[in-house]
Structures are given as structure tokens and as C-alpha cells.
Amino acid sequence: MLPGGVFNTRYDSDLAILRTRTHWVLLAVALVVVFTVPLFADDYWLGILIDMGIAIVAVLGLHILSGLCGLISIAQAAFVGVGAYTVAILTTQLGLNSWLCLPISALSAGLVGLFFGLPCFRLKGFYLVISTLAAHFVIIWCFEHFDSFTGGFRGLHLDPLSLGPIDLRSRGAFYLLTTAVVVLAAFLVKNIQRTAPGRAFVAIRDNELAAEVSGIPVFRYKMLAFFIGCLFAGVAGWLWAYFQRSVAPSHFQLIDSIWYIGMLIVGGWGTTTGVFFGAISLSFLDVLLKDYINPALVKSLPPDWAGQISVSTGLILFGGIIIAFMILEPRGLYYRWEKLKSYYRLHPYSHIPVPVKDDEEKEGEMDDSLG
Amino acid sequence: MKESGRNRLLGDQDTVARGLRPRGMRRTVAVVSVVAAIAVGCLALFLRLPVDDRDQAMQAIVDGIMKGGVYALVALGVVVVYKSSKVFNLAHGAILMLLAYFTWWLLAPTDLPLWTALIIVGATSVVIGLVIDRLMMRPMIGQSGLTTFILTMVLGFSVVQGIAVLLFGGDPRPMPSIFPSGRLTVGSITVQYPWLSAFIAAAAMFLVFVTYFRYTRGGLAMRAVSEDPVVSQSLGIAVKRIFAIAWVVGCLSAAAGGLLLCSMNPVHQDLGNFAIIRALPVVLLGGIESIPGAFIGALIIGVAEMLAITYIDPHVTGFSMLLPFILIVVVLIIRPHGLFGLREIRRI
């Protein structure tokens, strides 16, 4: 729903990402706030924000693949790993420039994604999910067993990143880099959504046979979705490699891929804004859990449980929240946000039910989109 | 009725049937010939081996069959739930692990007699099945298979896994042996008694489930519900109760599978992943809807795994860990509906 007095009179305005002057002002304020965070946040919070930014980049890729095109992949963490390992191997063993490795690691993750996306030629629905599950374990197996390149279980260590004379080792500088990447990636995804391939993805998600009958080359677009989704994963992997300065097979686990899917579900399936909602809410929940809930539990429960509490409460809490969202609010936080906005815009007449539906982004109920 | 009169009456259908037959026949002939060629090839390869290697191969195959029997029981739980409610239960492995830990806890630290422990584990698995059905699966009735698939995935890989680790710690624990130890030697092949007993127990339980599905009213109702829940409901079958029964049966088979798997390996926190990853190729190979298919698929997977451990692992470290995934992808690409499953037809 648009604010009062705003009408789409031309196609440009219908397609525009930012429509009103308020949007522009809000965007400018948000960008200023986001880029000045290092001035008043300490290293602990910057680390959390960097982690969150990397997750957002990876989930944006997954959003194109799963949210828009309807191909659910639970190998996203492994593709992030492919990106991270590519840059680690190229810089430590071949001595390549680390910035040159950014496109290379994105491309290599994309190509690996293309390879493991091939089964989607024949498979649909949960058969495809199972094949991506297999892809995850195959990729991790390769990390573990090609010791001469990947360092086996111990992994590899990277030199710190620098941009010319600027050293990006400090949390603040790296945070700025991550945020820039996040903003660029979000802009890119928004744009992909309103181009012909983006609309083709949505058509394939909504009804594959109908899309094929309408002349969309389904297989080609599915491969494209895999490629783009894994490109983002590769970029996220590059960031991850330089943030942690080490890569090991244990960093990229199946459960991370499930959290990525969970962020999509909690945020709102099939919307870019939802990706941010999901990633931000789950990341802050993680902080809450680690800093407040777990210590409280450790204090109140018998002492010999302390070891397992830190491992297991996160699994139970996040899994429970994702399941609760799937059952109770499959349209995710994004839908609630839209409802809130329309409530505010209609304020004196808020009791009038208004269909909450933005024309550009279809809010995704998983069941509608994955029939 | 006279033969000629009957023929005249059935004439039309007969020609239709004859028209349909050739394609099916050709497929069958093709499949049979491929299988026969593979079998003859394997036999020829086997006979060319020297005698010692032949014993080693036989040993691997027999061990594989024993393992396959237990995998079949694990996969059965997935098949039962899918067959009645069209929910692909990825949480099966984690539930199995939780129940295996619970069994270990009842038998080892608490030191209960075996039968009491078994009864308590059975009752617990019934409760778990009912809770999952009531709290998670019933609100999802009518949702697409993919949504419930993701729900069970999140349930299994995070919630149940977390609960098991929270309650039991997650360190590897040896299960007290419930079967007689020792080994049986026939010729040059030795079979450990626990493995043999596990196989026999698994096969027996498998037979019970197959009989239930095939010859009882409850089984018939389950098959009807899987075919079309709405029509079944209108014909007086209590569909919700059938779903609940399916989950209970699934959890019971998880308890049994956990007990038997742990007579081969200790209980540890990756047991859930291990079980579901072995069950997936079994289920896919046999066809998700097919119970006999699960058994045959499980034997094939078990034998393939043991052969890989014997022959490929010395050259490529850890290949047998990778094998299930390669099998999953190959089966999915070549024959997504499995050997005995039903091909899916999609319409707009």
C-alpha cells in the first residue's frame, strides 16, 4: 500500500525502488547511521554486526535462489565455504592479490553451484532439497580430504587484508567494508527482482509448467538462479575468510545452512526486506541468548550441565522459533511490518481492513509459492 | 458364462489392455536385462578373484546384508510416515538418536532390567510421536510437501538434536549389549552374533509392519489416506487419527532402529545424521511409497557400503562416508521415483 497522495502515473514510478521524498531522506539517514557505527560501537558489537552482514549477503543469495525461484537449497553454507576456500588457497598458495580474488571466489562458488544445480533439470520439491543436502556433504568432504590444497581438518590461515596503505585489520575498517558490500548486494538484489530474469524466477516459483508454457526457458533460468545465488555466497565467503582469517571445514556446517533458510522464513519468504528482518532478528536473538539466557541457565541448573547448555540451547531456541513462524505466521515479520505501515497510514480509519500487498514484492506465503 | 460370450463382453477392454502392454513389457525387459547384465558381470568378476579375495568379498557382502537389514528398519519409519501423511520425515534420524540415548540412559546409569526399559522407551516414543503430530503436523495439514519437509528438517537437525544434547550430553556412549556376544563361523565367513541378531530382529519387525500395511484394516486405511485424505475423510476414515498412528509407528520404529544400530556402533550425537543419511538413499532407491522397496534398497546400500569400506577406502581415505551422497544424487538423477515408487505426474 502506498502512502496517501502518491500515485503511480508512469511505469518508472511503478518500478522505482524509492518512491517518495521521505524514502530518500530515510535512506540517507539510515546510510549515515550505518556507516558511522564504528564511531560509537566497541569491538564486540562490531564483530556481531560483521557476522550479521556476512550472513545477510549469503541470505540475499539464498533469497534469489529459494525465495524468488523456489529452489530450496540447504547447501548455502557449503557454497560460502567454497568462496572462502578459494580465496584462502589462491592467496596462500599462489600469492594472488586478495582483491583480485573477490571476483574469482564469487565466480568459483557460482560455478560449483551450477554443477550441483544440474539435478534441478529433473528434480523438483524436496527431491531437489535432498540433492543439495548431498551437495553440502560432498563439498565438505572435499574440503576435508584434499589435504594438499585445503589443509585438511586444520584448514588454512590468511594474511590480513589491506587496501593500498589502509590496513583493514581493525574491526571498524572491516565493518565499513562489510557494510558497503551489504548495501551494494541489497541494491543489486532489488534490481534483479525487477528485471526480466527476476520476473521469470517468480513465474517459475509460482507455477513451473505455466512458466514453461509461456515461453520461459525454465531450466536455463533455474541454472541462472543457482549461479547468482552462489555468486553472493562466494562474496560472503570472501568476507568470512578475511574476517576470521582462517578457514576450516568445521566453519561451514549444515546447521548454518538451516539458519540461513530460517532467516528467510522468519523474515518473510520471497522479500528482500524480509532477509534483513530475519537476519537482524536472529542475530540479536543469538546475542541475547549467549549473553543473558545461557548464563542464567548455567546458574540455575546443576553444574554438570554447563558444558552442554551452550551447545544446545541455541539449537532448541532457533529451531523452535523457525517452526513457530512456519506454523503461526508463514508470511514472516515482513508481513507484520507491512500491516503496521498500513495501520499507520490509514490512522483514523485503521479498523478498515486493507489488503496488505505491495505491488512489486509479493509477500510470500511459502505454501503459495512452492506448490 | 461361456468363454466366447465372456470374450465378446470383455473384448473392448482386452484390446485396450493389449495396447497398453507393449510399453510396460519393453520397460520390464529392459530393466531385467540391465539387472541381469550387472549380476552376470559381478558374478564373473567374483569368480575371477583368487580364493582369499573371494572370501573377503563374501565377508563384505554378508556384513553388508546384516547392516542393510538394520538400515531397512531405520528407513521404514520414514516410509510409514510418508505413506500415510505425505510428510517426508527428516527428523527421523534425530528422534532415533534421542531415543537411543534414552535407552542407553535407562540401561546403563539407571540399570533397569531390559524389558522394563523397553516398555518405558516404547511409551516415550508413543508420546513423542503424538506430541509431534499434535503440535506440529496437525496445523500443517493441507500444506505442500516441501513446507512440511523443511519443518521436519528444522525439527530434526536443530530442536531434537538440541534436546538430546541438553539431556544426555552428546558424548559417545557404548550401549550395553542386549544380544549374546560371540561369533558364528560358517566356512570362511564369520558373523558376529549381535549383528546377526540385529538383522533377524530388524527383518522380523519389518515383516510385522508389512503385514500390518497389507492385511489389516488399519493398514488399508493408511493406504487410503495417503491416496486422498479428503475422500478418505468423507468415507468415514478418521484421517487425523491415522496421521497420529503413523507418527507413533514412525517413532516406535525409530526406537527399534536406534536400539539395533547401537548394537553395531556406540550412541553419539552424530548418530542422528548418520541414520538419516543412510536412510535417505535407501528410501530414494526403493521408492518412497514402497515398503518392500525400502528393504531391497537397504540391502543394496548396505552391501555397497561394506564393499566400499573393503575395497575403496584403502585407496581413497574416507570414501565410504561420501558414498551415500553419491548414491543419492545418482539415484535422483537416473530414477527420481526409485525402483518401486510411483512416478509423479504434474498438471497445471
Side-chain angles (χ1 to χ4, degrees):
Chain A
M1 200 194 107
L2 289 172
V6 178
F7 302 104
N8 296 323
T9 49
R10 290 174 305 146
Y11 286 118
D12 302 5
S13 65
D14 193 30
L15 282 174
I17 298 176
L18 298 164
R19 295 176 181 196
T20 57
R21 195 183 296 268
T22 329
H23 277 163
W24 282 102
V25 172
L26 282 178
L27 179 72
V29 171
L31 283 183
V32 168
V33 169
V34 162
F35 278 101
T36 50
V37 164
L39 296 180
F40 48 83
D42 57 4
D43 272 6
Y44 174 72
W45 278 97
L46 283 178
I48 288 164
L49 290 175
I50 293 171
D51 254 342
M52 194 169 84
I54 294 171
I56 287 177
V57 176
V59 180
L60 280 173
L62 192 65
H63 159 65
I64 290 182
L65 181 58
S66 306
L68 292 186
C69 201
L71 307 167
I72 295 183
S73 155
I74 44 175
Q76 192 73 358
F79 292 130
V80 173
V82 171
Y85 264 98
T86 309
V87 57
I89 291 170
L90 287 182
T91 50
T92 53
Q93 313 222 340
L94 299 179
L96 248 64
N97 182 304
S98 43
W99 294 94
L100 186 66
C101 286
L102 176 60
I104 296 177
S105 59
L107 262 182
S108 72
L111 291 179
V112 174
L114 271 188
F115 176 72
F116 285 106
L118 278 176
C120 78
F121 181 57
R122 286 199 61 162
L123 305 179
K124 292 185 191 74
F126 62 75
Y127 291 103
L128 186 68
V129 187
I130 294 175
S131 83
T132 59
L133 179 78
H136 171 92
F137 284 101
V138 171
I139 291 173
I140 298 300
W141 188 88
C142 291
F143 290 163
E144 284 170 357
H145 287 87
F146 289 118
D147 317 31
S148 50
F149 297 113
T150 63
F153 290 91
R154 276 172 295 115
L156 295 167
H157 291 275
L158 285 92
D159 297 329
L161 183 68
S162 62
L163 176 62
I166 311 165
D167 188 5
L168 288 174
R169 206 179 312 186
S170 77
R171 284 274 164 94
F174 201 83
Y175 166 81
L176 290 181
L177 173 71
T178 314
T179 314
V181 173
V182 169
V183 170
L184 268 180
F187 182 67
L188 211 66
V189 170
K190 271 282 194 190
N191 264 335
I192 287 173
Q193 240 166 289
R194 51 184 193 164
T195 55
R199 288 192 295 273
F201 292 157
V202 176
I204 292 171
R205 174 192 76 185
D206 288 345
N207 193 329
E208 196 177 319
L209 280 178
E212 189 155 19
V213 171
S214 323
I216 295 170
V218 170
F219 179 57
R220 203 185 303 162
Y221 274 111
K222 281 185 173 176
M223 297 309 284
L224 186 65
F226 259 105
F227 183 68
I228 298 177
C230 295
L231 277 187
F232 281 87
V235 174
W238 184 86
L239 283 173
W240 166 271
Y242 277 112
F243 176 48
Q244 299 288 339
R245 301 247 314 280
S246 76
V247 286
S250 59
H251 291 164
F252 311 103
Q253 286 184 346
L254 184 64
I255 200 72
D256 295 318
S257 303
I258 293 178
W259 296 154
Y260 290 154
I261 287 276
M263 286 172 189
L264 276 188
I265 291 171
V266 169
W269 196 257
T271 60
T272 322
T273 327
V275 172
F276 284 83
F277 280 138
I280 291 172
S281 55
L282 284 193
S283 300
F284 281 117
L285 200 64
D286 191 35
V287 177
L288 186 72
L289 184 77
K290 281 197 183 121
D291 291 356
Y292 298 99
I293 301 179
N294 276 346
L297 278 180
V298 168
K299 227 177 275 168
S300 57
L301 287 174
D304 51 335
W305 282 36
Q308 54 236 44
I309 278 175
S310 61
V311 191
S312 58
T313 44
L315 290 173
I316 299 173
L317 181 72
F318 290 139
I321 284 176
I322 295 169
I323 289 177
F325 263 93
M326 288 184 82
I327 293 173
L328 302 174
E329 183 51 288
R331 285 166 292 195
L333 289 174
Y334 173 76
Y335 175 73
R336 291 282 146 189
W337 169 242
E338 283 293 307
K339 275 189 93 121
L340 190 76
K341 275 202 299 192
S342 72
Y343 181 88
Y344 157 75
R345 279 169 187 168
L346 290 170
H347 170 58
Y349 306 106
S350 300
H351 57 279
I352 301 172
V354 170
V356 177
K357 201 153 212 181
D358 215 325
D359 43 3
E360 187 194 342
E361 294 183 20
K362 303 273 181 293
E363 96 267 353
E365 193 165 348
M366 275 185 76
D367 198 45
D368 284 351
S369 49
L370 305 168
Chain B
M1 197 188 286
K2 264 195 245 163
E3 191 68 26
S4 59
R6 220 179 119 216
N7 279 351
R8 210 178 307 134
L9 204 66
L10 293 176
D12 227 351
Q13 293 174 18
D14 227 31
T15 36
V16 170
R18 222 172 278 140
L20 286 175
R21 203 178 302 143
R23 190 162 168 268
M25 283 289 281
R26 237 179 291 149
R27 279 191 74 89
T28 321
V29 167
V31 169
V32 166
S33 54
V34 167
V35 170
I38 292 172
V40 168
C42 290
L43 201 65
L45 195 69
F46 180 67
L47 290 179
R48 283 177 61 93
L49 289 171
V51 178
D52 287 357
D53 288 3
R54 221 182 275 176
D55 286 346
Q56 193 189 12
M58 272 313 284
Q59 182 68 49
I61 291 172
V62 170
D63 283 354
I65 291 175
M66 299 294 142
K67 266 194 171 178
V70 179
Y71 291 171
L73 190 65
V74 176
L76 182 75
V78 181
V79 175
V80 166
V81 173
Y82 188 83
K83 226 174 140 62
S84 61
S85 60
K86 288 272 186 290
V87 173
F88 196 111
N89 180 13
L90 263 193
H92 191 75
I95 296 171
L96 184 149
M97 191 250 309
L98 179 65
L99 287 170
Y101 261 118
F102 187 55
T103 319
W104 162 81
W105 184 76
L106 287 179
L107 287 175
T110 322
D111 205 17
L112 286 176
L114 181 63
W115 287 109
T116 331
L118 284 188
I119 290 169
I120 295 176
V121 169
T124 318
S125 52
V126 169
V127 171
I128 291 177
L130 288 177
V131 165
I132 292 177
D133 174 65
R134 184 67 195 85
L135 291 186
M136 286 159 206
M137 288 305 147
R138 196 171 293 178
M140 302 299 276
I141 288 180
Q143 304 264 30
S144 76
L146 192 51
T147 318
T148 47
F149 179 85
I150 292 177
L151 198 148
T152 57
M153 181 178 85
V154 176
L155 178 70
F157 286 115
S158 70
V159 179
V160 179
Q161 179 88 24
I163 292 175
V165 173
L166 181 65
L167 294 181
F168 302 107
D171 301 323
R173 311 278 189 191
M175 183 76 95
S177 64
I178 52 170
F179 298 120
S181 57
R183 51 191 58 199
L184 177 73
T185 312
V186 181
S188 54
I189 300 160
T190 50
V191 183
Q192 291 173 354
Y193 267 130
W195 286 41
L196 186 64
S197 333
F199 176 77
I200 293 171
M205 277 181 233
F206 203 87
L207 271 182
V208 170
F209 283 122
V210 171
T211 323
Y212 174 72
F213 260 92
R214 215 160 170 99
Y215 298 108
T216 64
R217 277 182 77 84
L220 185 65
M222 279 197 175
R223 284 186 285 153
V225 169
S226 96
E227 203 69 30
D228 192 328
V230 179
V231 171
S232 312
Q233 178 88 41
S234 69
L235 287 176
I237 297 172
V239 173
K240 287 177 187 166
R241 196 185 303 158
I242 296 286
F243 287 168
I245 292 173
W247 274 95
V248 166
V249 172
C251 287
L252 280 174
S253 84
L259 195 59
L260 296 185
L261 261 187
C262 293
S263 61
M264 299 179 173
N265 312 322
V267 199
H268 54 107
Q269 58 171 326
D270 287 334
L271 185 73
N273 281 358
F274 175 85
I276 195 67
I277 280 160
R278 295 307 182 285
L280 275 176
V282 169
V283 170
L284 295 174
L285 185 63
I288 302 184
E289 291 96 348
S290 169
I291 291 185
F295 200 77
I296 294 168
L299 294 189
I300 295 175
I301 300 294
V303 171
E305 189 185 334
M306 282 314 293
L307 286 178
I309 287 177
T310 320
Y311 288 105
I312 306 182
D313 269 9
H315 307 291
V316 185
T317 337
F319 181 80
S320 59
M321 315 280 271
L322 191 61
L323 183 75
F325 307 110
I326 295 176
L327 286 172
I328 288 174
V329 174
V330 169
V331 169
L332 278 176
I333 290 179
I334 294 176
R335 214 177 151 80
H337 48 284
L339 293 177
F340 304 97
L342 300 173
R343 185 188 292 257
E344 191 189 2
I345 299 171
R346 288 172 67 102
R347 298 190 184 86
I348 289 187

